[in-house]
Amino acid sequence: MKAIVLHQTGGTENLAIKEIPVPVIKDNEVLVRNHAVAINPVDDFVRSNEGALQGILRPVAGEDLILGWDISGEVTAIGAQVTQFKPGDAVFGLVNFPGHGKAYAEYVAAPASQLALKPSNTSYEAAAAASLAALTAWQSLVTYSHIKKGDKVLIHAAAGGVGHYAVQIAKHFGAYVIGTSSAAKKDYVLQLGADEHIDYNSQAFETLVTDADIVLDSIGAPGHLDRSLAAVKDGGHLISLLVFFSDEQKEKAAARNVHTRLLSVVSSGEDATAIAALLASGELHSDIAQVYAFEEIAKAHEQIATGKTQGKIVVKI
Ligand SMILES: NC(=O)c1ccc[n+]([C@@H]2O[C@H](COP(=O)([O-])OP(=O)(O)OC[C@H]3O[C@@H](n4cnc5c(N)ncnc54)[C@H](OP(=O)(O)O)[C@@H]3O)[C@@H](O)[C@H]2O)c1
């Protein structure tokens, strides 16, 4: 089969298509004929940074390094312990995150517990897209912030991969949603269902929002997490996707009973199944800005590295 292998951490020129054997599945795994893989900022981060490769992908010596975690395709074989899927099922999910997902490949061996059935109204591209980014939004809002009807939710980078799912998921739960983006993406954020928009270039969000039940912060800019802390109400939830909370920030939050968490998304078939139900009902959709060919993987990495992607980008296999 064809896979895209990373020769060594560095630039996109280190990614190359290689012919390698189809993976052998373990008893708890299914073999998926992969049709689409979604690209996330972590793909670019792990490709270019040896510390991130070791910490997130955790390679085993002698193995080909194959990036990517978001897959969607057809099950072609199942391991002895697998009962929830059969050959022919269309599935999607986040494979082995953190760990070695090996998703940039025609066939992927995936633990059955990490996958969900792909809804029939959702393309392979849209399903692959709704993996790492959608699970991050779900785990931030549902698992750790216990979102409920009437909550005020501030979502930073609402036009991006995680943000565009977070807006839709928060609306599904009946929240009042405020999304930030540049002015050019205001209409897009409102179209996703946000009740209010804040242009982060011209407005100081922490002066406009001081009583959010939940703030989802995925921005690395200096001081941004302090500003998000000012936007969350006493007893609320502040989720950071990128920046560690300092001891001082933790103390300030604790004094106000604000729950803080540096979230690191994890593979979960249960969460993917919840996402699948929302895709099936039409309450959630993947907005795909661009689909790239397998050979165009470098371009896909260059696009995600801009930090300006609207919705998701996907590579077709
Ligand atoms: N911890 C975890 O488990 C986890 C999981 C997923 C993602 N992440 C991290 O979270 C971040 C977002 O991920 P993603 O997949 O959503 O990225 P993405 O799709 O690349 O996000 C792009 C969006 O970010 C917006 N943006 C950039 N700077 C902004 C700012 N200062 N304020 C508001 N919006 C801004 C852009 O909108 P404009 O063009 O309008 O600026 C663009 O639409 C990344 O750093 C990623 O590594 C962490």
Side-chain angles (χ1 to χ4, degrees), residues 145-176:
S145 302
H146 315 296
I147 189 169
K148 58 184 189 314
K149 191 172 163 51
D151 277 353
K152 185 185 265 196
V153 181
L154 173 62
I155 296 167
H156 290 293
V162 174
H164 93 294
Y165 291 120
V167 170
Q168 297 175 71
I169 291 170
K171 287 311 294 177
H172 161 74
F173 282 95
Y176 182 86

Side-chain angles (χ1 to χ4, degrees), residues 41 136 157 161-162 180 182 185 200 219 241-242 263-265 307-309:
T136 302
V162 174
T180 73
S182 58
K185 290 173 181 161
Y200 67 84
I219 309 297
L241 296 182
L242 209 54
L263 184 127
S264 200
V265 67
K308 295 287 167 197
T309 301

